[in-house]
Amino acid sequence: MDLKPIAAIGLMAVGVGAVGYTVLGMGSGSSGTATTYRTSTASTTTVRQTAAASGNLVAATIYDLAFGDPPAAVAGTATTSSSASSSASSSSSSSSTSSASTGATGTSVTVTWPVTEVDVKVGDLVKAGDVLAVADNSTASLAVELAQAQLAAAKKQKQTDRKGGTSAERAQARDQVTSARTSLSNAQASFSSTVAQNNLKLRQASQALTAAKSQYAADNAAGASAQVLSQDKQAITQAQQTYESTSLQASAGNRQAASQVTSAKQSLTTANRNYDTATTSADSATLLADDVSIANATQALADARSALAAATISAPIDGRITAVDATVGQDSTGTAIQLQSAQLALAVSVTEDDILSLKVGQVATVAISATGGTATGTVTSVDPVATTSGSSSVVSYTVVVTLDDLAATTATAGATAATGDATPVAASPAASAAAATLPLPGMSAEITIVLAQADNALAVPAIALSGTNGSYTVRVLNTDGSVEPRSVEVGLVTSDLAQITAGLADGETVVTGSSSDRTSTSSTASSGGFGGAGALGGAGTFRGGGDFQPPAGAGAQP
């Protein structure tokens, strides 16, 4: 919220009233009436704009530790921390009864975690690396072996697909080609031999027929007897039949030999095709599928090894044991041990007036009621989603502040002087004892977050300002008791302090208010009201704060 207009209106009312009263007093001749000014001295200090909220401390981080699972942290301050813890626990439970298998063998193993050692109990403080519990890792080791076999099988399959088959398949394909070539060569040789033999038989049969015909012609020309000529005719008929029979046999034999050659050629073609298939790399889709199988098997092996390593639960951080659900001799499922960090945090609700000024990394001061001490912290989360409470129309936003090293927690009781000086002073023994007690989760605390800060700034109380943004004035009290209005340039303005960037010098006295006192004739020492203000962040000390009464006869200047 911008406090400048409100402060300006209030200051104008105070200023007008004071000046008007002084003027009326002088005009009526009431010399017995004195005006007392409340003043403060312009000083170099730190001006801070802050936001404050309260809440309860919780562990900054919670670990639900389970056998077979790597440590996984959830934020203790998150509104969903319980569901996150439940999710983590569910995940742990499922991993405790997981199965590992290989495609090569089809076998599987169910991983179990029989507890052999529990070294902590609820409330124990542990250091990072401390062994908390141990389980038997026999089934987890077997799961690793199976995962290794699955990865080896996946890699071998890709190698086979990339080379185009196994070495045995490639050798067999080569043998088939060689055999087919030999068969073709034999079939071609057999064809040539068969044709040659059949041609010889045909020539012989043709010659026998020609001879029979020549003999008949010779005997007929010689006037041989009818009986001889009849025998010659019979010889011709027999030779003709032999020729025709030999011709048919030759044709059949040649066709059969030719068919064998054709069949051998087809076999060779098939063998060559099979050889090409056996020696050619698989297509890109097959190789891509092989890569996916290898990636899955690699991840499965990594998970199995991670689970094997988690047969021993060790503390991932310094912290306190808040739950133990593991018993020696029994199988553990789900969360075995819960560990909360020693580092604390708190989630608080802030209004819409401040949320836009809050950012991750801003420094916060945390006041812890139970210990009477303070700690520093850092804004680690700013939820941009607004929430409402019940039927209220007021919205708020969740901001998480994580505390720094709690060993630096200090007591603040009695550390502020009566003048409003925020400089720490020696605390009482009781306060020192409280500071030595570290806070615990559940304790209430109030945070103050620095929204804006101006270091080494010349500042006056914000109530000393009059005017509006860009046209501010202050009333300066001179050494002779007179008051003069003066224009100033203003930087950061908070509910308590205003940074003056021009128009005023360090050490000058400004009027923060005035009153009429008919009995007082001297300066009245007081805290100056707003003179030493700085409650929202310890803005600093103002020198010379107090009420000022001008010397007799001195009047205020408008």
Side-chain angles (χ1 to χ4, degrees):
M1 177 183 296
D2 189 354
L3 300 177
K4 298 177 183 178
I6 296 177
I9 293 171
L11 292 174
M12 289 177 66
V14 173
V16 169
V19 172
Y21 181 83
T22 301
V23 171
L24 290 174
M26 293 183 66
S28 62
S30 302
S31 59
T33 301
T35 301
T36 301
Y37 294 105
R38 183 173 293 124
T39 64
S40 183
T41 304
S43 301
T44 299
T45 185
T46 298
V47 180
R48 294 189 184 95
Q49 180 184 358
T50 62
S54 60
N56 294 94
L57 297 174
V58 296
T61 307
I62 298 174
Y63 280 89
D64 289 323
L65 304 174
F67 291 107
D69 276 346
V74 295
T77 55
T79 55
T80 57
S81 61
S82 59
S83 62
S85 299
S86 173
S87 175
S89 176
S90 174
S91 175
S92 301
S93 175
S94 64
S95 69
S96 300
T97 58
S98 62
S99 296
S101 63
T102 63
T105 63
T107 59
S108 62
V109 58
T110 298
V111 179
T112 58
W113 302 103
V115 181
T116 60
E117 180 181 327
V118 177
D119 300 317
V120 293
K121 62 183 182 298
V122 174
D124 284 352
L125 294 175
V126 297
K127 294 289 186 181
D130 287 351
V131 174
L132 309 182
V134 181
D136 183 271
N137 64 1
S138 300
T139 56
S141 297
L142 182 57
V144 171
E145 294 177 4
L146 290 173
Q148 289 173 332
Q150 184 176 17
L151 178 58
K155 290 181 177 179
K156 183 177 180 180
Q157 182 61 49
K158 182 179 180 180
Q159 183 179 21
T160 296
D161 291 339
R162 186 170 55 239
K163 290 182 177 179
T166 64
S167 57
E169 290 171 343
R170 292 194 299 274
Q172 182 180 9
R174 284 194 298 269
D175 291 342
Q176 289 175 349
V177 171
T178 300
S179 177
R181 287 175 178 171
T182 300
S183 296
L184 176 59
S185 178
N186 291 337
Q188 290 173 335
S190 177
F191 175 77
S192 298
S193 176
T194 298
V195 170
Q197 291 176 2
N198 289 335
N199 288 339
L200 176 60
K201 290 178 181 180
L202 282 174
R203 284 196 301 271
Q204 291 174 347
S206 178
Q207 290 173 355
L209 178 58
T210 300
K213 289 180 177 181
S214 297
Q215 184 62 44
Y216 173 78
D219 290 344
N220 187 41
S225 61
Q227 182 178 358
V228 172
L229 292 175
S230 177
Q231 291 176 346
D232 288 343
K233 288 181 180 180
Q234 291 178 354
I236 290 171
T237 301
Q238 184 176 1
Q240 181 68 37
Q241 292 175 347
T242 299
Y243 177 80
E244 291 176 355
S245 175
T246 300
S247 178
L248 291 174
Q249 291 176 355
S251 296
N254 290 342
R255 285 196 299 273
Q256 184 178 3
S259 176
Q260 291 176 345
V261 171
T262 300
S263 178
K265 287 181 178 180
Q266 292 176 345
S267 296
L268 178 59
T269 299
T270 300
N272 284 329
R273 186 184 304 113
N274 291 339
Y275 178 79
D276 290 340
T277 300
T279 56
T280 301
S281 176
D283 57 28
S284 58
T286 300
L287 295 178
L288 180 59
D290 290 339
D291 288 335
V292 172
S293 297
I294 291 174
N296 291 338
T298 300
Q299 184 61 51
L301 178 57
D303 292 342
R305 286 173 172 167
S306 178
L308 177 61
T312 296
I313 296 179
S314 299
I317 58 170
D318 295 353
R320 185 186 301 273
I321 302 298
T322 54
V324 177
D325 189 17
T327 304
V328 174
Q330 296 183 7
D331 288 352
S332 176
T333 59
T335 299
I337 294 175
Q338 186 179 78
L339 172 66
Q340 293 189 0
S341 64
Q343 187 178 41
L344 300 178
L346 71 163
V348 296
S349 295
V350 299
T351 64
E352 57 186 322
D353 295 331
D354 293 328
I355 189 62
L356 295 178
S357 299
L358 290 170
K359 297 177 178 60
V360 172
Q362 288 175 323
V363 176
T365 300
V366 184
I368 303 164
S369 303
T371 65
T374 61
T376 58
T378 304
V379 176
T380 53
S381 174
V382 178
D383 191 347
V385 180
T387 59
T388 58
S389 178
S391 59
S392 174
S393 61
V394 177
V395 297
S396 61
Y397 300 82
T398 300
V399 175
V400 177
V401 173
T402 301
L403 275 63
D404 299 331
D405 185 6
L406 291 178
T409 303
T410 58
T412 57
T416 303
T419 59
D421 190 347
T423 304
V425 297
S428 66
S432 298
T437 303
L438 294 180
L440 298 173
M443 290 183 176
S444 59
E446 182 171 340
I447 64 169
T448 302
I449 304 173
V450 178
L451 303 180
Q453 177 169 309
D455 295 319
N456 298 318
L458 181 64
V460 298
I463 199 171
L465 290 179
S466 296
T468 58
N469 189 17
S471 180
Y472 282 116
T473 61
V474 296
R475 290 182 296 160
V476 179
L477 182 64
N478 297 318
T479 56
D480 61 359
S482 62
V483 176
E484 65 168 305
R486 186 182 302 176
S487 296
V488 292
E489 295 181 13
V490 176
L492 178 62
V493 177
T494 71
S495 60
D496 296 287
L497 300 177
Q499 178 189 9
I500 305 300
T501 59
L504 198 63
D506 191 354
E508 288 193 283
T509 302
V510 296
V511 175
T512 59
S514 63
S515 63
S516 178
D517 187 351
R518 295 180 180 274
T519 60
S520 176
T521 58
S522 61
S523 298
T524 304
S526 74
S527 63
F530 299 93
L536 295 184
T541 303
F542 288 87
R543 302 192 305 272
D547 290 339
F548 178 81
Q549 181 178 8
Q557 301 299 319

